[in-house]
Each structure stands twice: as structure tokens, then as C-alpha cells.
Amino acid sequence: MMQYLVILLDDTSVAYCHCDNPHRERRLMPPETLRDGIRYAMTHNLMIQFVYPDYDLPQDYLDAIDTIDHHDIVPFPRQGDVAVAENSKLKIENSAGAVVVLRMKKAELFVSGDTVAALLRQVQRLNIVITDLDTFTDADLVPYGALLDRWAALLKEEYLAGRTPQLNLLTDRMMLTAPNHCNAGVENLTLAPNGRFYLCPAFYYTASEESVDPEDIPNQQLLRLDHAPLCRRCDAYHCRRCVWLNQRTTLDANTPSHEQCAVAHTERNASRRLLAAIREKAQFMPEVDIKEINYIDPFDIRKDF
Amino acid sequence: MNLKSIGDAWQSGMAKNITFIVTKDCQLACKYCYLVGKNVKERMSWDTAKAFIDYVLAREDDFREESVVWDFIGGEPFLEIELIDRICDYLKLRMFELGHHWFDSYRFSFSTNGINYHTPEVQRFIEKNREHLSIGITIDGTERKHDLNRVWKQATPDENGIIHPSDRGSYKDVVKNIPLWLKQFPDAGTKVTISSPDIPYIRESVMHLYGLGIHQVNINVVFEDVWQEGDDARFEEQLMLLADEIIDGGWYQDYACSFFSEHIGKPLDPVRDNQNWCGAGRMLSVDAAGNLYPCTRFAQYSLRSKKALVIGNIRDGINPNLLRPFLTLDRTTQSPQKCLDCEVASGCAWCQGENYDAAQTNTVYQRATAICLMHKARVRANNYYWNKLYRKLELEGRREEFERNKRSVEHQTC
């Protein structure tokens, strides 16, 4: 069931997920499109997430936005519910309640141990989004696991001290007892500045001709978890199950690539180790059980399904 | 004749099917052919074939199937008999030199229109590889049925090299080679394809093929959405006439038609019966450009409305991510609710390539259901066939004897 509407206010609205925004020319959503989008959300009981560009919007836009309950996704250092940055060397002015999305390529991720550790002490929640996930090799998983363990050691100390910073790659799985996927096209849709609906911003960025009718999304069932043969049996609950990445890497929206699965399972296993380490010192999340497994890609055990 | 053996596909389920699309040309331009882009331009070179063989044989660990079927397809494969002969010689040599586990378990397989079957080049090839050959000649039945669709191409292709049908049927050019073929491969079967205009000729065509001495007739309706209102009723009537003739004439004892099978027309369990029907993704095909496909049906010349689904090429190899959707396919995920609820679902086939081509989005997970009414008509006629046959056998006291000797029917749908 649809729950969210993402509204890209401008062609240069900040990219906050796996796909870069290739647009460099400003094109503000026409005011009537904005009003129609808000009206659509109100009539369909959808929570709006407005995605902002890196410039100030006209006052009439701000007034329109204020007519509905919403969340703001803004480029760092602008103030919003979620700030998106592309550089881990951030100076957080006001850490109270800060939720930061940090988009990084693999190469930067592997040298960001200290800066991310520093950020974890400053923000309420840090979402790290790897923007070249498809370039991960199996050899990369070892240093990636070690990096996660390093952050896990810090998080363990924070949790035992009574503070609870969140790092999506480690703490989400630790808190989840069911999948928490992106669910683009099932629970959320995106309205682009051109007035058309897309499954998510990435489809607008990379295939703007592939807009959808929100009342009749073709093969919508294939976007649902129950129609994803690998994912429906998977317990890497924190994985975004990105259907855009699926489409790009396997040519089918319901099938993840090996890289997406292997990275998610490396994170899952690191979460398991973190959970065990915290439990050595204190009772913590007794309802969560992350089992020991001997694979990093459910595809490798598909014959056992 | 061992009736149990002739219906079995060689090493069924244990063999890797590897297909060379040696040419996209054919002498014929059959009207129902799913190969919409046949042309005279795309012929495989020796360099491409050799590079592909070297790629496959160098990766024994990636291809662990016990056996291999090296399949040759076109267009018409025997148009490239010189290339095929060279490929087969090289395959045998390299499998031996490498000590490859397929050296003792391989077969060369051909599906041909039969027109060049008698030529010295083809006959020399057959003589040389006799013990490892499987050749099927496609003949559709009576002359009028065969010539309805299986016609010669026009003398010259269009400006893009695409070939188009003429008015000249090919029956006489094919049937003359049937005796030689059956002499060399007495257990061979033929493949018959039914589209809407063929329906009135089903009974006479199957009986005609039996009369030619072909004991196994593999027959299926096309998966494409070609069916007209009332076709299912006409189809059912033809199959019931065919059932009467097979049973009343005693043909069922030595001859088989794949339309009639005891295993079709039952509901399917969503868990126990959840396997995919089609082998796409477990097969491998290569074309003249050196592109690799999960099945020939995903090459561009087979597709009406979608882009070719290329999973790699002979230089860079296979992208394993592109095989993942195929290797995780199951029946329930790709089927619409009406198929999951269907009371006569078993035996209802699908083609992954046609599913892809007909799908609303770029996916292999949307099952095309154009044959739905035809399958249900087949099930009704099939029920009639077995009820009539078993009653006859019981009255004659021969039911147990029949059960002991009955053949397994080959499900060959593409």
C-alpha cells in the first residue's frame, strides 16, 4: 500500500540514494505541478518527502509546502529532517536530532574509518549509501567487514554508555525483526519536476521516458517482496532491496545482483557480531535473533529453498 | 521396438545444452516461425565458433553437467554444413586433448527442415558422427497442412537482408528425404507446430506422419497470441477425432503423439510443483557476433518487441548477474493468479523467451497466457483419449500389459 510520495522540487534536487543525479541545470517544478502533487498526496493519504535543490526556493513554494505535513530532504549543510552529504569530513553545527545521509564511493568508504567514527559521535543517525555498490568484489568484503567491526566497537561503547547513535549498516539489522526495504513502487512513488510519476528518483534520472501511471503500475507485483524469489527468504532485513539496482545489474527488478547480496550479508554478519558483543555486557534486544549462516549470497543456497 | 526408450530425451536433465546459431538464413520462410528477423547476413565465422569453444571448454568447473548436447540451429543449420563439420571435429579433438569429462558423453543435435538432408556434404557428416547424432526433420503433416505455413522464401531478401515468404510450399522437397532419415534414425521423431490456420488439419496430419513411419510426433501449439475465437473448440474436436483414429486403429501400441499424456490436466501444488518449465539460463547460445544468450529465443532475430537479452560475449565471458533471474525462476512467481488457481494446470507450458517478448516490462517473470484456452481444450480431449483407451483395454483384458509397456512421452515444446 502506498504510504509516501517523494517530490523532487527541482531537477537539481539532491540525490540521496544509490543513483547520482546527472542533472546540472536548474528546472524548478512548476507551481501548479507542486500543488497537484500535494493534492494527490492529501487525497491518497500519503506522507510527502520533499527533496530540495541547493538554492533557496521562492516564498510561494515554501508556503505551498507548508500546507501539508511532510519531511524535508536537503543538501548539507542546509537544515532539514535529513541532510545529504557527499564528504565525510563534515562539520556538524547542531548535532541534536541530526540525521545525515552520507553518499560515498567504495574507495572513499575504505579510507573513511576515522571521519565516520567522528560523525557517529555527533549525529543521531548516519545513513551511509555506497554509490558504486556494483563494483564490490568478493575480495573487498574482507576489508569491508573489518571496517564495520571497527565502527561496531565504537557503537558498542556508545550503547553501553547509554547513548544510541544509529548507523544504518550496523544498527538497523540489530533492531529489525522483519524486512525494512525501500519498497519503491509499492509503498512510495516519486513525482518529478516534469509532472510525471516514477518508481523512484533513480528511474527519473536514468530513464525519464519510463514514467508510470500511479493507478496502474505495470507488473507492480514484481516489485513486492513476495515476488522476489531470493529476497523473500533473506534475513538481511536492513537491505534496501533496491529495485533500480536490480534492474540495472540483473535486468529484472525482482532479482538482486551478487554484489548487493554479498555487501548486505557482510553488514548483517557484522551486526550479528555487534549484537553478541553488546549482549556480553548487558541485556539488549532479546527479541532479535540473527542466526549464524555460512553464505554471503542467498543465490548460493537457492537449491535449499 | 523399445517404446520406452524412444520418447526419452537424451540425458534429460543431466546434459548442458549449448547452441550454435550458425546462420540466421533459411531456405524457407515459414509463416508461423518465431524467428522474425531471419536474414542472409548473419553467418557464423570459424574464428567466432573456435573462440566460443575455447571459452566453454576452458571452464570445465563452470559447466559441471554430466553431459553436453552441442546443438546447431539456424535458420537452417545444414546451410552451414562445412562450418558445422569443422566445429564438430574441433570439439572432439579439444575434448579429447583436455581430458574433458564431456568427451565420453556428448551429442550433436540438429533440428532441420530436411531439404538438404540427402546432399553428399550432409551425408558425409552423418556417416562420420553417426554414434553421437540426433537429427530431427520438421514435417508438419499432410501436404496441404505442411504447405500452409512451411513455404520457400522469396528469391531475394529485402533491403535489410530480411527474408520473406513466397507461395511455394516445401512438402515435396522434404518428404523425399524422410525414408533416408528414418533408415538412418529409425527412432527419430518429428516436431509439428500448430497455429490457428492449422487446426483443421491436425488429425489427418498426425495420421499421415504415422503413415510415413514416424513413430514419435512431438506437437505443440505456438505460444504467441495468434488464437481466434472458437479455435479452442475446433482444436478439441480435431484432437478427439485424432484420439478415435489412434485408438480404433490400434496405433497407440507403436506410435505416440505428445498431445496425449496422462500427466497433464491436474492441479499443481504451489510448493511441490513450483519448478520452472523452461530451461532458459541453464542453456547457453552463441550467435555470429559472438554474443551469448540464455537461450536462442533471446537473440534479436527471435524477438518482436524487446531488445535482445545478451548475457555476455566470447571475449568477456558470461555476466553471472544476468543469469540470476533465470536461475531463480519458479512457476508461482511468474504466473498470474488464474494459473495458480487453475484446476488443469499440469502440462501447460510456457516459453521464457515469449514471456519476455510479450511482457509489459523488461522481465522474464511475467508468464504469457495466450495458450490458456488451447491448453484447456487439449486437456478435455486428452481426458477423452485416456478414458476411451483404458475402457477398451479393460474390455480386452490388456490393461496391465499396456501399463507395463507404455512409453514416457517427451515434453518437447521448443
Side-chain angles (χ1 to χ4, degrees):
Chain A
M1 182 181 175
M2 284 296 168
Q3 297 175 34
Y4 301 98
L5 179 64
V6 176
I7 295 185
L8 303 177
L9 292 165
D10 188 277
D11 260 357
T12 61
S13 287
V14 64
Y16 61 90
C17 208
H18 291 292
C19 183
D20 290 331
N21 182 353
H23 296 124
R24 295 291 172 265
E25 277 187 37
R26 290 178 180 179
R27 181 171 66 147
L28 193 58
M29 173 177 276
E32 59 273 21
T33 304
L34 176 61
R35 280 193 293 273
D36 288 347
I38 291 171
R39 184 182 176 84
Y40 183 86
M42 293 173 82
T43 55
H44 290 76
N45 287 328
L46 305 179
M47 168 66 81
I48 298 186
Q49 295 171 331
F50 289 107
V51 189
Y52 289 73
D54 192 16
Y55 66 90
D56 292 330
L57 295 181
Q59 188 57 46
D60 58 327
Y61 279 69
L62 299 177
D63 292 342
I65 287 168
D66 246 356
T67 61
I68 187 169
D69 192 15
H70 65 275
H71 291 126
D72 294 328
I73 300 174
V74 300
F76 188 88
R78 288 175 175 270
Q79 296 289 308
D81 298 295
V82 177
V84 183
E86 307 235 347
N87 183 340
S88 61
K89 293 170 186 164
L90 304 178
K91 189 175 178 191
I92 306 288
E93 298 289 347
N94 177 11
S95 65
V99 176
V100 172
V101 170
L102 185 56
R103 300 179 73 245
M104 284 193 289
K105 290 192 183 301
K106 178 179 74 176
E108 188 189 353
L109 176 79
F110 282 167
V111 297
S112 67
D114 291 338
T115 51
V116 167
L119 272 178
L120 284 174
R121 291 196 173 91
Q122 298 176 61
V123 300
Q124 178 193 355
R125 176 177 173 82
L126 180 63
N127 276 2
I128 293 181
V129 177
I130 304 168
T131 55
D132 56 355
L133 196 65
D134 53 322
T135 67
F136 261 77
T137 65
D138 284 356
D140 289 329
L141 299 176
V142 177
Y144 185 49
L147 184 64
L148 292 171
D149 283 343
R150 183 175 162 194
W151 292 333
L154 182 147
L155 287 166
K156 175 188 155 190
E157 297 308 319
E158 292 287 307
Y159 275 63
L160 291 175
R163 294 180 292 273
T164 54
Q166 295 176 20
L167 172 62
N168 65 324
L169 308 179
L170 282 167
T171 59
D172 280 8
R173 177 60 188 90
M174 207 167 65
M175 309 285 184
L176 289 167
T177 55
N180 183 36
H181 303 142
C182 164
N183 288 329
V186 179
E187 292 183 351
N188 62 82
L189 274 180
T190 292
L191 179 64
N194 64 6
R196 294 179 186 163
F197 288 93
Y198 294 86
L199 297 182
C200 80
F203 285 95
Y204 173 59
Y205 297 152
T206 59
S208 63
E209 71 283 2
E210 291 182 16
S211 59
V212 296
D213 174 356
E215 307 303 323
D216 185 19
I217 297 172
N219 275 331
Q220 189 181 29
Q221 78 281 2
L222 296 180
L223 306 173
R224 296 199 317 250
L225 179 61
D226 63 347
H227 276 65
L230 289 174
C231 305
R232 68 188 175 212
R233 295 174 173 94
C234 177
D235 77 343
Y237 294 149
H238 69 294
C239 173
R240 304 311 293 150
R241 194 168 70 84
C242 175
V243 295
W244 174 76
L245 268 180
N246 290 354
Q247 189 78 56
R248 200 163 69 98
T249 54
T250 71
L251 304 183
D252 243 305
N254 69 344
T255 310
S257 67
H258 169 71
E259 294 77 16
Q260 194 172 179
C261 290
V263 167
H265 278 74
T266 302
E267 294 156 359
R268 172 208 182 274
N269 293 341
S271 300
R272 180 177 182 276
R273 293 192 293 273
L274 171 58
L275 186 62
I278 294 172
R279 284 176 176 168
E280 281 178 8
K281 304 286 184 183
Q283 191 178 29
F284 183 71
M285 302 294 294
E287 69 278 16
V288 174
D289 179 26
I290 309 178
K291 290 187 166 48
E292 184 170 14
I293 54 176
N294 59 1
Y295 58 88
I296 57 162
D297 183 351
F299 182 81
D300 295 335
I301 58 156
R302 66 190 185 280
K303 292 196 170 77
D304 301 331
F305 287 166
Chain B
M1 178 176 294
N2 179 355
L3 284 181
K4 278 191 174 175
S5 67
I6 62 173
D8 294 339
W10 183 74
Q11 298 287 67
S12 179
M14 295 184 295
K16 182 83 178 176
N17 266 77
I18 300 179
T19 305
F20 295 84
I21 306 172
V22 289
T23 177
K24 292 177 183 170
D25 192 11
C26 184
Q27 303 99 322
L28 307 184
C30 303
K31 293 173 185 171
Y32 55 41
C33 185
Y34 63 88
L35 301 173
V36 292
K38 281 192 296 188
N39 65 79
V40 297
K41 293 178 177 173
E42 295 178 75
R43 298 172 58 200
M44 185 174 284
S45 69
W46 164 244
D47 287 345
T48 296
K50 179 177 179 300
F52 176 63
I53 293 166
D54 290 341
Y55 169 80
V56 170
L57 294 183
R59 288 163 180 78
E60 193 169 359
D61 287 345
D62 294 341
F63 300 102
R64 292 308 308 166
E65 288 85 351
E66 287 180 27
S67 309
V68 63
V69 177
W70 301 104
D71 208 357
F72 297 88
I73 196 169
E76 165 53 36
F78 282 148
L79 286 176
E80 298 292 338
I81 187 62
E82 284 182 30
L83 173 69
I84 289 169
D85 189 38
R86 194 172 177 188
I87 288 172
C88 292
D89 283 351
Y90 186 66
L91 278 169
K92 288 180 284 187
L93 177 70
R94 290 300 292 154
M95 288 192 292
F96 174 74
E97 287 177 344
L98 293 166
H100 199 288
H101 73 281
W102 285 344
F103 178 70
D104 291 325
S105 194
Y106 70 92
R107 180 166 288 203
F108 300 131
S109 176
F110 296 83
S111 183
T112 172
N113 61 30
I115 289 173
N116 283 359
Y117 189 82
H118 65 289
T119 60
E121 296 83 1
V122 173
Q123 286 300 307
R124 269 197 303 275
F125 175 81
I126 291 172
E127 188 61 31
K128 191 157 93 177
N129 296 285
R130 185 75 170 266
E131 299 303 312
H132 292 275
L133 268 186
S134 164
I135 299 179
I137 291 181
T138 300
I139 180 166
D140 259 2
T142 54
E143 183 168 4
R144 63 176 177 171
K145 188 318 193 178
H146 183 98
D147 287 351
L148 199 62
N149 280 304
R150 300 189 67 80
V151 294
W152 285 81
K153 67 180 177 184
Q154 291 177 13
T156 51
D158 67 19
E159 63 274 17
N160 297 316
I162 303 291
I163 63 179
H164 294 283
S166 70
D167 295 330
R168 181 184 156 204
S170 62
Y171 176 83
K172 288 188 170 62
D173 308 290
V174 179
V175 75
K176 68 183 183 188
N177 284 327
I178 297 298
L180 174 61
W181 172 54
L182 289 176
K183 183 180 169 193
Q184 292 171 326
F185 301 97
D187 292 343
T190 192
K191 191 171 68 176
V192 178
T193 304
I194 304 295
S195 63
S196 181
D198 305 304
I199 291 173
Y201 312 109
I202 293 173
R203 182 205 59 79
E204 67 176 39
S205 290
V206 173
M207 298 315 300
H208 178 73
L209 295 171
Y210 284 178
L212 290 175
I214 300 171
H215 287 252
Q216 174 80 35
V217 178
N218 298 308
I219 187 165
N220 64 274
V221 297
V222 298
F223 293 108
E224 288 77 4
D225 190 7
V226 298
W227 304 106
Q228 309 290 318
E229 191 174 346
D231 276 352
D232 55 332
R234 287 186 281 274
F235 183 53
E236 181 181 344
E237 182 189 3
Q238 275 293 307
L239 291 191
M240 288 176 67
L241 291 171
L242 177 61
D244 286 341
E245 195 147 347
I246 290 174
I247 294 169
D248 295 345
W251 293 91
Y252 62 88
Q253 299 174 81
D254 290 315
Y255 293 78
C257 171
S258 63
F259 268 144
F260 301 121
S261 163
E262 286 180 284
H263 305 295
I264 72 164
K266 313 286 193 300
L268 289 172
D269 184 272
V271 176
R272 197 178 56 244
D273 304 315
N274 198 24
Q275 64 274 22
N276 193 27
W277 178 280
C278 169
R282 290 187 294 276
M283 304 183 282
L284 180 64
S285 300
V286 62
D287 71 2
N291 287 325
L292 306 178
Y293 305 93
C295 157
T296 58
R297 191 64 172 74
F298 289 87
Q300 195 62 64
Y301 80 143
S302 301
L303 296 167
R304 301 180 305 275
S305 55
K306 292 285 191 336
K307 285 184 183 169
L309 201 159
V310 178
I311 58 168
N313 60 62
I314 54 175
R315 292 163 295 282
D316 304 322
I318 297 170
N319 177 348
N321 276 333
L322 299 181
L323 283 180
R324 288 165 73 95
F326 290 95
L327 299 180
T328 50
L329 269 164
D330 59 51
R331 182 180 67 86
T332 55
T333 307
Q334 65 187 300
S335 298
Q337 194 62 42
K338 69 172 182 177
C339 297
L340 303 183
D341 295 338
C342 181
E343 293 287 331
V344 294
S346 67
C348 186
W350 61 84
C351 161
Q352 225 67 54
E354 172 58 18
N355 287 359
Y356 171 68
D357 208 6
Q360 291 171 285
T361 59
N362 288 327
T363 182
V364 294
Y365 274 85
Q366 185 185 354
R367 179 173 166 185
T369 58
I371 66 165
C372 178
L373 292 179
M374 305 303 286
H375 172 71
K376 288 174 176 170
R378 178 193 173 197
V379 168
R380 290 190 294 272
N382 186 63
N383 292 341
Y384 171 82
Y385 176 92
W386 291 104
N387 280 315
K388 174 167 177 161
L389 177 59
Y390 279 139
R391 184 63 181 158
K392 170 186 166 79
L393 291 168
E394 280 163 6
L395 291 173
E396 294 172 356
R398 296 175 50 230
R399 172 82 184 254
E400 286 184 15
E401 176 197 351
F402 180 81
E403 293 283 0
R404 279 196 303 276
N405 295 321
K406 73 182 176 190
R407 63 193 302 145
S408 61
V409 176
E410 185 175 348
H411 294 287
Q412 187 178 9
T413 55
C414 58

